[in-house]
Amino acid sequence: MAKRTIVAMPGDGIGKVVLQEAIRVLEAAGFDANYVNGDIGWEFWCKEGNPLPERTLKLLEEHKIGLFGAITSKPKEEAANELDPSLRDKGFTYASPIVGLRQYFNLDICVRPCKSYKGNPLNFIRRGADGGIEEPMVDVVIFRQNTEGLYGGVEWSNPPDQVYEALRTHKKFVQNFGNVPKEEISVSTRIFTKKATERILRAAFEYAQKYGYKSVTLCEKPNVIRETSGMMYRLAKEIQKKDFPNIPLYNTNIDAQMMWLTKNPETYDVIVAGNMFGDIASDGFAGLIGGLGFACSAQFSADGIAVFEPTHGSAPKYADYPVSIVNPMAMIESAVMMLEYIGEMEIATKIRKAIAAVIAEGKVKTYDMMKMTGKPDVIEKGAATTQQMADAVIARL
């Protein structure tokens, strides 16, 4: 049987380091694959004017599965200033390549598990009713609509006349912004479609049913954002009533959810939300299980393209350290999600058990797990390097 080919897209900063360590763990666990490099990120923006080259899109179209590290994004003016001088003033505009990847392949389903590992010193704790310390185990899976909403990219500053006149047909716009000069207005749209909204909702319910989660919670703001959040809530109720009557559906507003996640996070199971609110909720819950060093994710299209990535950024200052100190667990966990997706359950389970054993033992910890500030000297103070953390997992395998 031919080896599976994985498109490895290191990207920028620490993405290059953590992806390399995740592949080492995969190989040590017995996963046999070919890895082809996919160019993506700031380097290719600067020298080509395109952070997501066509050649990388073709690789993903061919091989279907991608492992992604991290990318650097900068504001419009900074991006323009770092472009190669030969490419300036030629109409190139920077856009996040990971957002572009999601939209190009319609990677509309984003799954972000947030699960505690016993023994992790960064786990959320609280004071109980008797005054003692409680450590609730969190096991929440966030389903985030990945291509629409506020991240859809439909926005303007000093909007064109036809857009401005269309906005003026809405009485609320005239009432609240009618006296503001057009050139002082910036507009970002929040567009939801019925098809994509139904797909993320159904995916959340199906996951809960398949893996035995007890409930699905919609985390939006339908009492204020009445059209988009309102549509999502209405469709959620219809889908639950028709196809998943045994799975309770709850509704929380995003602001209230941020309060409740630190009061009783163990009561939540599967949470589903639009793009922005799903992003916020997943980072919030990630903070309860150790932070972005433990936050993994997967994103899928309807036609079989899948990309797996940690949710942390590229942290370029850490990439410049003589020895890498960042926690590779989020990248390793993302690779495990890939294994589960392609049916390599035995290897996935083996790696998860190894991770759990390393964390429970507590002898090898990166600087974040030791609650240190991320400076080069943390290694001298006993923190593990990125490679040492991966080595510990490999030793447990």
Side-chain angles (χ1 to χ4, degrees):
M1 183 177 178
K3 291 182 182 179
R4 184 179 291 273
T5 298
I6 308 298
V7 182
M9 298 172 284
D12 306 313
I14 64 171
K16 298 176 181 179
V17 180
V18 294
L19 180 55
Q20 177 183 343
E21 296 305 319
I23 291 174
R24 272 209 314 128
V25 172
L26 289 173
E27 291 174 342
F31 179 60
D32 193 13
N34 293 317
Y35 297 92
V36 295
N37 185 74
D39 295 334
I40 191 170
W42 198 253
E43 173 187 351
F44 303 98
W45 160 254
C46 293
K47 68 182 184 181
E48 299 179 23
N50 184 2
L52 180 56
E54 181 71 21
R55 58 188 177 271
T56 301
L57 297 174
K58 289 181 177 178
L59 282 174
L60 273 171
E61 285 174 346
E62 179 182 358
H63 301 297
K64 307 296 185 185
I65 307 293
L67 277 178
F68 177 72
I71 54 100
T72 294
S73 284
K74 298 183 182 181
K76 182 178 178 180
E77 291 76 14
E78 289 184 45
N81 290 337
E82 294 192 29
L83 194 61
D84 186 276
S86 66
L87 299 174
R88 294 176 189 173
D89 302 318
K90 293 189 176 181
F92 292 108
T93 302
Y94 179 82
S96 167
I98 189 60
V99 173
L101 201 66
R102 292 165 185 164
Q103 293 174 343
Y104 183 87
F105 289 112
N106 196 27
L107 300 169
D108 61 329
I109 304 294
C110 181
V111 185
R112 294 185 169 184
C114 296
K115 187 172 183 176
S116 303
Y117 278 107
K118 290 184 179 179
N120 188 343
L122 300 177
N123 284 345
F124 171 70
I125 59 173
R126 66 187 175 209
R127 192 171 298 282
D130 62 356
I133 299 299
E134 300 175 341
E135 185 179 331
M137 289 292 103
V138 177
D139 186 1
V140 171
V141 184
I142 312 291
F143 275 72
R144 171 194 177 195
Q145 206 297 322
N146 215 27
T147 54
E148 298 187 342
L150 281 170
Y151 294 5
V154 183
E155 50 188 356
W156 303 269
S157 288
N158 188 9
D161 290 342
Q162 63 269 37
V163 174
Y164 181 72
E165 292 305 321
L167 291 170
R168 289 188 64 86
T169 65
H170 199 293
K171 63 180 182 180
K172 287 285 187 179
F173 182 86
V174 174
Q175 177 182 324
N176 295 325
F177 309 106
N179 294 326
V180 179
K182 184 168 74 73
E183 60 272 16
E184 295 182 9
I185 293 175
S186 290
V187 178
S188 296
T189 64
R190 187 178 194 259
I191 300 172
F192 283 29
T193 65
K194 183 174 184 287
K195 181 179 179 180
T197 302
E198 286 180 335
R199 191 168 132 74
I200 191 70
L201 290 168
R202 190 166 295 278
F205 277 106
E206 288 173 350
Y207 188 96
Q209 186 175 70
K210 180 178 180 179
Y211 292 102
Y213 285 90
K214 296 178 181 179
S215 67
V216 171
T217 298
L218 176 68
C219 181
E220 275 289 321
K221 189 76 173 175
N223 61 324
V224 175
I225 311 175
R226 299 179 183 275
E227 299 302 327
T228 48
S229 292
M231 180 183 76
M232 196 171 193
Y233 186 34
R234 183 182 72 252
L235 291 173
K237 289 188 290 185
E238 291 173 0
I239 290 170
Q240 187 268 345
K241 182 178 180 181
K242 179 182 177 183
D243 297 323
F244 303 94
N246 295 325
I247 301 176
L249 170 67
Y250 301 113
N251 174 49
T252 60
N253 290 336
I254 179 64
D255 48 339
Q257 184 69 76
M258 291 299 99
M259 175 190 68
W260 287 112
L261 71 82
T262 55
K263 293 192 75 174
N264 56 339
E266 71 274 26
T267 64
Y268 293 96
D269 296 291
V270 172
I271 292 177
V272 59
N275 211 332
M276 170 69 87
F277 295 161
D279 203 3
I280 293 170
S282 62
D283 274 18
F285 275 97
L288 306 182
I289 64 163
L292 294 180
F294 291 90
C296 55
S297 77
Q299 43 210 331
F300 313 102
S301 72
D303 55 359
I305 306 289
V307 176
F308 303 84
E309 63 167 317
T311 64
H312 59 63
S314 63
K317 74 173 185 178
Y318 295 127
D320 294 334
Y321 287 1
V323 178
S324 178
I325 67 169
V326 297
N327 191 339
M329 286 301 186
M331 185 75 248
I332 296 171
E333 286 270 15
S334 299
V336 172
M337 293 183 75
M338 178 195 73
L339 292 175
E340 293 172 336
Y341 176 75
I342 62 178
E344 295 281 0
M345 300 303 295
E346 183 178 344
I347 299 176
T349 300
K350 185 162 63 172
I351 295 175
R352 285 198 193 281
K353 287 183 178 178
I355 292 171
V358 169
I359 294 174
E361 184 180 44
K363 291 183 178 179
V364 182
K365 294 181 285 191
T366 46
Y367 80 92
D368 54 322
M369 298 174 70
M370 299 178 72
K371 302 182 181 180
M372 295 180 179
T373 301
K375 296 181 178 179
D377 65 356
V378 297
I379 305 302
E380 302 167 12
K381 298 176 180 178
T385 67
T386 306
Q387 182 177 349
Q388 287 171 339
M389 198 69 186
D391 285 342
V393 175
I394 290 169
R396 281 287 181 170
L397 290 169

